[in-house]
Amino acid sequence: MASGFDAVSVFTGDDCSAALLQELHSQGVQYLVTRSAGVDHIDIDAAKKLGIRVANVPAYSPHAIAEHGIAMMLALTRKLILADNQVHQQDFRLDNLVGFNLHHKTVGLIGTGKIGAITAKILHGFGCQLLAYDIHPDESLTEKYGVVFTTLAELCAAADIISLHTPLNPSTKYLVNDALISTMKDGVMIINTARGAVVNTTAIIHGLTTGKIGFYGMDVYEKEKGVFFYDHGGEDLHDVQLEQLLSMNNVLLTPHQAFATTEALGSIAQSCFQHFDAWDRGQQAQFEL
Ligand code: NAI
């Protein structure tokens, strides 16, 4: 957390609970910018009550996240991590490297806002059949990329790959749970670049253990706070579920890095300073919540 005189900038791993905001307020903090699109780590109601003005960066580069999700899909379908590990052992066999085409696969997008829409565009290029579920369907995606909006149940029943692009809020917490996973195709691939708690991690591990889930690409993790963004090499993580996930070779885990491109980071910095400048001039910040 970086602090100035009366303003701070935070990120998704930071604690912005009511208690922390109260402490910041008591130290004179009046403005808070999060260098993220998601705001689930901030108690917005508590900030409002304290008079702390909050702004986020809703669209720094949705391409960065969409492209990372596609990279995870390809790495899993084509077993790229395994191949890389093997060739470094001078093992050039193909026996366990047979993957599958994305072409003609049915991909279900849960959430078709900025990131989901770009994911749809890219997957349309691969020749995928696209199903989508969103509480606010964007019908233009049907015309542009052939996206068929449907129910969550129908999406889960038909999709070979399911990619998550919703915010974390009360309506999406544990959206992917045991009951939903049981309705999915056997061997389904799930890609989560959204937020850890959009899935129930226990249910995901159960699905992976039984083979119901064939592949899981995760850039986010329910208990990532205090773990991701730090080097814990050689330490005991004291997290059995994370250890289980890390031990499975059909799980690809990246440490909340989908946003980490030079383009996105530059755009985030620019937006943050624009917010601070606007407040300094006594104006409303562009993305004030
Ligand atoms: P967005 O606001 O443009 O789109 C979110 C979509 O989800 C909207 O269309 C909304 O209608 C839909 N939605 C909300 N609740 C829903 C529900 N219960 N069921 C179905 N659909 C629902 O947001 P954007 O920019 O596409 O980002 C999505 C999320 O991606 C962010 O909220 C954030 O959590 C995550 N994210 C992850 C990053 C990473 O580095 N891994 C970086 C940036 C964002």
Side-chain angles (χ1 to χ4, degrees):
M1 191 178 294
S3 68
F5 259 109
D6 56 2
V8 294
S9 85
V10 298
F11 192 55
T12 55
D14 287 326
D15 173 8
C16 296
S17 60
L20 196 282
L21 292 169
Q22 176 65 57
E23 178 59 28
L24 290 175
H25 182 254
S26 68
Q27 293 186 28
V29 170
Q30 299 171 49
Y31 304 101
L32 186 141
V33 166
T34 180
R35 305 186 298 277
S36 59
V39 293
D40 46 279
H41 54 301
I42 305 173
D43 189 331
I44 305 282
D45 288 342
K48 286 205 167 131
K49 277 186 201 137
L50 291 163
I52 297 178
R53 291 169 65 181
V54 180
N56 71 335
V57 186
Y60 44 86
S61 177
H63 290 272
I65 297 92
E67 288 175 14
H68 191 79
I70 301 294
M72 297 191 104
M73 265 176 223
L74 288 170
L76 285 165
T77 58
R78 305 311 301 268
K79 304 182 193 263
L80 297 182
I81 310 298
L82 183 60
D84 189 55
N85 286 339
Q86 286 185 185
V87 296
H88 281 93
Q89 305 301 318
Q90 302 186 21
D91 177 353
F92 300 101
R93 290 173 299 167
L94 297 183
D95 306 43
N96 55 2
L97 298 182
V98 177
F100 60 88
N101 292 358
L102 281 183
H103 186 242
H104 281 174
K105 289 293 176 301
T106 300
V107 182
L109 302 170
I110 302 183
T112 52
K114 292 175 284 300
I115 297 167
I118 294 166
T119 305
K121 181 180 179 182
I122 299 170
L123 291 171
H124 179 62
F126 276 95
C128 296
Q129 314 290 330
L130 298 173
L131 297 178
Y133 168 69
D134 194 301
I135 48 171
H136 300 298
D138 175 356
E139 305 295 350
S140 75
L141 299 178
T142 305
E143 202 180 310
K144 286 191 278 193
Y145 314 124
V147 173
V148 176
F149 281 91
T150 183
T151 61
L152 188 55
E154 284 183 16
L155 182 153
C156 289
D160 302 297
I161 300 172
I162 295 176
S163 194
L164 306 173
H165 302 289
T166 64
L168 175 62
N169 60 34
S171 76
T172 59
K173 179 152 190 207
Y174 290 170
L175 185 71
V176 178
N177 52 30
D178 275 321
L180 198 72
I181 291 169
S182 71
T183 68
M184 294 177 187
K185 276 186 164 179
D186 289 345
V188 65
M189 175 186 292
I190 301 176
I191 303 290
N192 186 5
T193 58
R195 282 290 180 270
V198 173
V199 305
N200 180 322
T201 306
T202 307
I204 290 283
I205 291 173
H206 182 247
L208 285 161
T209 310
T210 60
K212 182 73 184 173
I213 300 173
F215 307 86
Y216 184 48
M218 54 185 292
D219 184 52
V220 284
Y221 172 54
E222 219 183 322
K223 292 173 275 178
E224 69 180 52
K225 196 180 277 186
V227 180
F228 285 13
F229 310 139
Y230 301 96
D231 181 0
H232 292 283
E235 292 172 24
D236 186 341
L237 290 172
H238 298 293
D239 183 336
V240 174
Q241 290 195 319
L242 184 54
E243 282 162 14
Q244 267 179 294
L245 289 162
L246 288 171
S247 72
M248 298 180 187
N249 64 12
N250 53 349
V251 173
L252 175 57
L253 189 155
T254 54
H256 205 138
Q257 74 178 74
F259 72 96
T261 65
T262 40
E263 292 85 352
L265 293 172
S267 173
I268 291 169
Q270 192 176 26
S271 290
C272 289
F273 283 109
Q274 280 168 355
H275 294 337
F276 289 135
D277 283 347
W279 284 329
D280 199 37
R281 288 194 301 270
Q283 297 167 353
Q284 182 91 357
Q286 191 186 0
F287 302 116
E288 202 161 324
L289 302 164

